[in-house]
Amino acid sequence: MRNNAWFRPKRFGWGMTPVTWQGWALTIGGVIAVIALMRSSLPGWVRGGGAMLMLAAMIAIAAKRTEGRLRWRWGGD
């Protein structure tokens, strides 16, 4: 694993799993931030749009910090 890899790809399918404290912090912090935003008193379109932007940013950061590249995997590699 690279030194700066916070996630590793799943063995089957598309996705990644946190393997360092930074990866877990991004995952848990992102979930808490999205829940807090969705429970806020902002208009619905602002909450929905903000949640989508936060999730997109989390996926982009996780993809950048994943060992190897993200792609569909069948378990053979």
Side-chain angles (χ1 to χ4, degrees):
M1 179 170 66
R2 302 184 303 190
N3 280 345
N4 60 352
W6 296 353
F7 298 85
R8 74 175 142 77
K10 289 174 49 177
R11 187 169 180 189
F12 291 94
W14 188 91
M16 68 281 294
T17 303
V19 292
T20 64
W21 70 268
Q22 295 97 330
W24 281 107
L26 177 68
T27 302
I28 293 168
V31 168
I32 290 170
V34 168
I35 290 171
L37 177 65
M38 295 307 289
R39 293 181 56 90
S40 72
S41 62
L42 295 169
W45 66 272
V46 174
R47 291 185 308 208
M52 286 194 304
L53 287 174
M54 275 196 250
L55 290 172
M58 285 174 46
I59 291 170
I61 293 168
K64 181 89 171 143
R65 294 296 189 156
T66 297
E67 178 181 353
R69 64 183 181 91
L70 289 180
R71 61 182 173 84
W72 187 266
R73 297 177 190 276
W74 293 100
D77 48 7

